[in-house]
Amino acid sequence: AEGDRVEAGQLVAELSDAAQKDATLAQAEASLAEARANLAKTRAAGRPSEVAAQRARIESLLVQEQIAGREAARAERLVPSGAGAFAAADRNRAAAARAAAERAEAEAQLETLSRPRPEDLALAEAQVAAAEAQVARTRADAALSRVRAPIAGTVLRIYARPGDQIGTDGLLDLADLERLD
């Protein structure tokens, strides 16, 4: 009201779009939280239970590979003596090679689970940076919907009331009556 004393930084008016801008800010903050959670998930790579399961699979495949290797060696030794067939030896060699390939694949999957891919990490970090910028922008935009007193002083005249459009005269006149020079 005219004649009221206000302190520097005190809220003197709130524009009609303030609630909408606050909602936009809340949405931007939620997007930032989501981006940060995604970044944390990307940095963590695989869950400990997934890594443990993959290690157990590798151990199992290693044992299978060793057994297949022994079977292939045994079959190879029997071929020259005539006691073993070439086909059986070939099948055992193929089984040993397949077991080795499966183990190598499982080890590669473990590597993938153990650390994030650099490109996934870079993307998640960029998404966090973009979300932070969006929060800063919407926070600044929301602040523009609130008029704060630039100085401590007295309200001399009010030009716009709730529901009025702010004209060329502005919102109000404010002066520091303590310091009349």
Side-chain angles (χ1 to χ4, degrees):
E2 292 177 0
D4 282 356
R5 174 114 178 108
V6 295
E7 297 300 319
Q10 181 180 337
L11 181 65
V12 293
E14 188 172 86
L15 303 182
S16 61
D17 65 348
Q20 180 182 0
K21 289 183 177 179
D22 288 345
T24 302
L25 175 59
Q27 184 179 13
E29 288 172 337
S31 293
L32 175 58
E34 180 182 3
R36 284 181 175 155
N38 188 37
L39 175 59
K41 178 182 169 188
T42 301
R43 280 186 177 144
R47 294 180 183 161
S49 60
E50 293 171 330
V51 171
Q54 193 63 20
R55 284 191 174 124
R57 181 171 179 247
I58 289 170
E59 286 297 317
S60 171
L61 290 171
L62 183 61
V63 169
Q64 290 175 21
E65 179 184 2
Q66 290 169 348
I67 291 170
R70 284 193 298 271
E71 289 290 321
R74 202 172 305 137
E76 285 291 325
R77 285 191 304 272
L78 293 176
V79 168
S81 69
F86 286 108
D90 286 343
R91 277 194 305 274
N92 286 337
R93 277 193 303 273
R98 186 175 49 249
E102 287 176 7
R103 181 191 46 77
E105 179 187 10
E107 287 174 345
Q109 289 173 349
L110 176 61
E111 182 69 22
T112 299
L113 286 173
S114 297
R115 63 179 73 113
R117 295 185 329 187
E119 59 272 20
D120 291 342
L121 196 54
L123 176 62
E125 288 170 346
Q127 288 170 338
V128 167
E132 288 172 342
Q134 181 67 19
V135 166
R137 188 177 138 277
T138 56
R139 183 171 284 131
D141 200 29
L144 291 175
S145 292
R146 290 169 177 79
V147 179
R148 299 194 177 275
I151 61 168
T154 303
V155 176
L156 301 178
R157 184 159 186 210
I158 298 177
Y159 296 106
R161 304 259 176 215
D164 291 347
Q165 203 166 18
I166 299 174
T168 57
D169 291 334
L171 185 62
L172 56 85
D173 284 336
L174 178 68
D176 182 1
L177 299 179
E178 306 285 317
R179 297 183 53 205
L180 292 176
D181 295 343

